[in-house]
Amino acid sequence: VQAKADDQMFECEATNVYFAPTVLFQTRTHRFVVRNPSVIPLPITWRFNPKVPGSQVGGLKAYTVTPAQSRIAPGREQEFTV
C-alpha cells in the first residue's frame, strides 16, 4: 500500500480583479493562473461573494469563471478566466 499526505495549498499572483467601466453589451476578461505546489490534487470550485457581507449579489450574476470547477494535479497549474 502506498499513500501520499500533504496539505492542500495553492499559489496565485492575482489577489483582486478590477474591471474598468464597460459599455453596454461589451465584455472584459481577466486571466490568472493558479499553481498547485503540493503532492496531492487540488480541487477548485469558484463562487462570488459580495464585497459587503449581507449585501445583494444580483450584479455578481453577470460574472463567470471558466472553468468553474477544476482539479489541478500536483505540481501543475491551471489558467482561469473571469
Side-chain angles (χ1 to χ4, degrees):
V1 174
Q2 183 179 12
K4 293 182 181 180
D6 198 358
D7 291 326
Q8 290 179 335
M9 58 186 120
F10 67 92
E11 297 173 349
C12 181
E13 293 181 12
T15 56
N16 292 302
V17 176
Y18 296 102
F19 291 104
T22 305
V23 179
L24 191 63
F25 301 114
Q26 298 297 310
T27 61
R28 294 193 186 268
T29 60
H30 176 79
R31 290 182 176 84
F32 61 97
V33 173
V34 176
R35 290 180 260 321
N36 178 8
S38 72
V39 297
I40 59 174
L42 175 66
I44 293 179
T45 300
W46 295 102
R47 70 173 184 263
F48 291 97
N49 293 322
K51 190 173 185 176
V52 178
S55 65
Q56 301 217 358
V57 295
L60 294 178
K61 293 179 184 177
Y63 297 95
T64 60
V65 177
T66 54
Q69 294 182 329
S70 183
R71 187 174 182 91
I72 304 174
R76 304 295 297 228
E77 60 185 39
Q78 169 78 48
E79 182 179 77
F80 294 92
T81 303
V82 178

